[in-house]
Amino acid sequence: MDAQMWEQRWAEGRIGFHQQTVTPQLEQHWPGLGVPAGARVFVPLAGKSLDMVWLVEHGHPVLGVELSQLAIDQFFAERGLQPDVHESAYGVHHVAGHYELIRGDVFDLDLAGLGGCAAVFDRAALIALPADERPRYARLFDDLAPGTRGLVITLDYDQSRMDGPPFSVPEHEVDRLYAPAWQVDRLERSVSEPEPRLARAGLTELATTTYALAHH
């Protein structure tokens, strides 16, 4: 992953991917996944997402990984939290309450690094990765315990009009990436006009698709 590029985007405030509200698909579909109460949730490429706050408020400790120190610092500062900091082979850990954010590369994680997570929420990770990195990313989760649940949100658009990130990840690719270790169920697909930032890049239509994952 291009850590320098993401660091620069945060430093310059070019974070159009950051949402000022909780992801509606998370609020709508998470309760139906059957994730056990108190289960720890992994949030890859976490940024300073408010989705982590929602998950904690609904009883789930969060483990996030993020390349940008600025994003991590802002997340805890905006919560009024002062995290404890320590280092490991996976990066620099910032821990406060039910939040643990690792400043590091998601590809450095292994089963031990995922720290007993029983669920995954991916709104902005898969679509942030170019096509040649997505298979390796999907395989990171194959060793999680059977019964692990996940929610993945993708974008699908005519990539000849715009290169990512965010990248277009069509449904057939999601099926291919996660099979055979995961059952993939499409929960929702909505087509809309792109936000102004993406429209200026050349997009005229954008589909958002939400998938439930269940580890075999």
Side-chain angles (χ1 to χ4, degrees):
M1 293 181 64
D2 190 342
Q4 184 176 0
M5 181 269 288
W6 288 110
E7 287 277 17
Q8 185 174 355
R9 289 186 67 164
W10 277 97
E12 296 174 354
R14 293 188 293 115
I15 53 172
F17 48 83
H18 173 68
Q19 298 180 146
Q20 300 297 328
T21 59
V22 175
T23 301
Q25 294 90 338
L26 173 64
E27 296 177 304
Q28 179 179 353
H29 296 295
W30 189 266
L33 291 182
V35 177
R40 197 180 198 199
V41 180
F42 180 57
V43 181
L45 279 62
K48 59 173 184 175
S49 172
L50 296 179
D51 296 332
M52 294 188 287
V53 178
W54 188 93
L55 287 165
V56 166
E57 289 177 345
H58 286 76
H60 297 291
V62 165
L63 173 66
V65 64
E66 168 57 42
L67 287 167
S68 171
Q69 184 66 52
L70 182 58
I72 293 173
D73 291 344
Q74 289 180 3
F75 177 82
F76 285 109
E78 290 167 7
R79 313 276 86 71
L81 298 172
Q82 182 63 47
D84 294 324
V85 179
H86 69 274
E87 295 188 28
S88 78
Y90 307 112
V92 182
H93 299 242
H94 303 71
V95 183
H98 293 296
Y99 301 106
E100 180 174 2
L101 296 183
I102 302 173
R103 185 196 179 192
D105 190 329
V106 68
F107 291 115
D108 290 336
L109 291 176
D110 54 20
L111 184 59
L114 288 171
C117 290
V120 179
F121 176 63
D122 177 352
R123 181 193 74 83
L126 187 63
I127 60 175
L129 298 173
D132 61 345
E133 294 185 357
R134 293 196 284 264
R136 180 184 173 203
Y137 167 78
R139 297 283 72 79
L140 286 173
F141 309 110
D142 283 358
D143 289 333
L144 291 172
T148 298
R149 305 289 174 170
L151 200 66
V152 176
I153 301 172
T154 66
L155 302 177
D156 188 357
Y157 61 84
D158 180 358
Q159 198 156 327
S160 69
R161 291 181 170 271
M162 185 193 84
D163 196 8
F167 294 99
S168 176
V169 184
E171 184 171 358
H172 67 82
E173 183 176 358
V174 175
D175 290 336
R176 177 176 56 81
L177 285 170
Y178 289 98
W182 298 82
Q183 176 180 327
V184 180
D185 294 310
R186 191 177 83 176
L187 300 177
E188 175 187 345
R189 179 180 172 85
S190 61
V191 179
S192 62
E193 294 183 357
E195 61 182 85
R197 175 177 64 94
L198 300 182
R200 288 193 296 270
L203 291 192
T204 58
E205 184 177 273
L206 183 71
T208 302
T209 309
T210 305
Y211 302 90
L213 301 182
H215 200 304
H216 294 307

